[in-house]
Amino acid sequence: MNVLGIIASGAAALFITVVLAKGVRRTALRAGAAHEPGARPSRAGVVRRLGGTTVVLGVGAAAAAGTGLGAAGGSGRAVTGLLAGAATVAALGLVHDVRPLGVPLRAAVQTAAATLAVCLAGLSPVAGVLAVIGIVAVTQAFALLDTSDGTLATVGTVTAAGLLACAVLDGRAGLALPPAVLLAGLIGFLLHNWHPARIRPGACGSLFIGFVLASSGALILAEAPPERAAWAALPVLATVALADAVLVLVSRCRASRPLLQDCGDHITHRLRRLRVTVPGVAVVLGLWAGVATLTGALVYAQVLHPASVLVPVAGSAAAVVALLRVPAYVAPPVTATRRRPPTGTAPTGTSLRPGPKPVPAVPESPAPTPPGQARTTPGRPTVPPPPTGRPAVGLTADRS
């Protein structure tokens, strides 16, 4: 195994990703400030489109250079096919970030990219078909984890470390190169993707990360010795991503919601409703993935029995059942404000039939003034009558 070549490729991926991530961050901030002068720059659209390209360029350039320099050994053809398929899905994701594409087109492109990687790896027809199905499913499952700051990068880092350990146990440099380079690139990306996230993977980065992980696992599984029990060890490494996908599908089916429409019902959303912080969500999912990855690596190393993989699987199933009880589809509150009905309309519950017109009130005639008492105008104070036999000053006596 060309250990020095793999280490050099990983260091190059780390350096390139960090430099590009910092440049993309500055460019996105300037572009946001230029579009919105005098206001706080809106970085979400620009950063989401460009964040994933840092991982794609950093990991892709380092892996291609390592393959060209002989770090892949005898698996250079398989690694080349993997990188070609990963570049295809990354381009698909970049276009989808700029202008959303339909589900059939995305599924067709991902299937074609997986077929390209499997054909160049030289798998048998039956194994190739199963590998294509698994690559597409796992790629999409990892892409769905991009719902919170640092979550996808954390889970991807842990999974890549487990794949690297499995490849090293067999001494296959070519199969160890993609997970090693991806591991280094994700560490550099996580420096800017941790909460509060400066950059985000978007569809470009998430599809690329999921495709590299899924294809690396499929190639390691295809070339693993029979005594390794790779059929039980390697699928466990994707436990978190698959659990999230199962949770979303079951939840939407029970609620009769569209399966392909994001409804805020992922594991990250439910943990946030349980008052877990954003960094805490990334840590919880990282530990969850770490337990599954460690179990799978120990089974692959023949330290644990293959039946041991049932422990993380059963734990994940229990977690999915528990998370299904967390409300995900919360209706917006209804405000009980009463609006004045428009002119010519009646309030709710009243009839518009014409009723009897109200009779105007007839003013009562004033009572007759007793003799000897002065009349007063309504609204003015009453003037008492003058004493008998002597007229008042300024007033005239009543005429008899």
Side-chain angles (χ1 to χ4, degrees), residues 1-14 58-83 160-161 163-169 171-186 208 212-213 215-217 219-220:
M1 177 183 292
N2 191 353
V3 179
L4 294 179
I6 295 176
I7 294 177
S9 300
L14 176 62
V59 174
T67 304
L69 295 177
S75 302
R77 181 182 175 87
V79 175
T80 302
L82 187 151
L83 294 178
L163 291 173
L164 176 61
C166 294
V168 169
L169 289 174
R172 299 181 180 275
L175 302 182
L177 179 62
V181 175
L182 182 63
L183 173 63
L186 287 177
F208 178 83
V212 173
L213 292 173
S215 301
S216 299
L219 295 181
I220 295 174

Side-chain angles (χ1 to χ4, degrees), residues 37-370:
R40 185 176 180 180
S42 176
R43 303 173 295 175
V46 179
V47 173
R48 190 172 186 274
R49 296 171 188 175
L50 299 179
T53 57
T54 61
V55 180
V56 175
L57 295 178
V59 174
T67 304
L69 295 177
S75 302
R77 181 182 175 87
V79 175
T80 302
L82 187 151
L83 294 178
T88 303
V89 297
L92 171 70
L94 184 60
V95 174
H96 182 68
D97 285 335
V98 177
R99 184 177 181 180
L101 303 174
V103 176
L105 178 59
R106 286 181 288 163
V109 174
Q110 293 180 28
T111 303
T115 304
L116 175 63
V118 168
C119 290
L120 292 180
L123 301 181
S124 62
V126 177
V129 172
L130 296 177
V132 168
I133 297 175
I135 290 173
V136 173
V138 175
T139 298
Q140 193 60 41
F142 271 98
L144 293 177
L145 287 178
D146 184 23
T147 54
S148 182
D149 293 348
T151 300
L152 176 60
T154 302
V155 176
T157 300
V158 176
T159 307
L163 291 173
L164 176 61
C166 294
V168 169
L169 289 174
D170 290 333
R172 299 181 180 275
L175 302 182
L177 179 62
V181 175
L182 182 63
L183 173 63
L186 287 177
I187 292 175
F189 180 76
L190 191 58
L191 298 177
H192 297 274
N193 186 238
W194 192 257
H195 181 75
R198 282 82 171 179
I199 58 176
R200 296 179 180 179
C204 177
S206 59
L207 288 176
F208 178 83
I209 294 171
F211 189 89
V212 173
L213 292 173
S215 301
S216 299
L219 295 181
I220 295 174
L221 176 61
E223 299 188 14
E227 64 273 9
R228 291 292 187 185
W231 56 270
L234 292 176
V236 181
L237 273 63
T239 298
V240 175
L242 296 177
D244 181 69
V246 171
L247 174 66
V248 168
L249 293 177
V250 174
S251 179
R252 294 177 185 177
C253 288
R254 292 176 58 185
S256 299
R257 288 182 173 264
L259 298 179
L260 303 178
Q261 182 179 358
D262 192 8
C263 304
D265 50 3
H266 294 266
I267 293 178
T268 55
H269 300 136
R270 298 174 190 266
L271 291 179
R272 291 289 292 132
R273 290 187 174 91
L274 295 176
R275 305 303 178 114
V276 182
T277 62
V278 176
V281 170
V283 172
V284 169
L285 293 183
L287 293 176
W288 186 351
V291 172
T293 300
L294 180 61
T295 303
L298 292 178
V299 170
Y300 192 86
Q302 301 178 357
V303 176
L304 296 178
H305 192 271
S308 301
V309 299
L310 297 178
V311 175
V313 172
S316 300
V320 168
V321 173
L323 289 173
L324 282 173
R325 302 175 63 89
V326 178
Y329 312 111
V330 180
V334 179
T335 56
T337 56
R338 304 180 66 180
R339 297 181 179 179
R340 178 180 300 177
T343 306
T345 60
T348 305
T350 60
S351 176
L352 296 178
R353 296 178 180 177
K357 297 182 179 180
V359 180
V362 179
E364 298 180 358
S365 58
T369 305

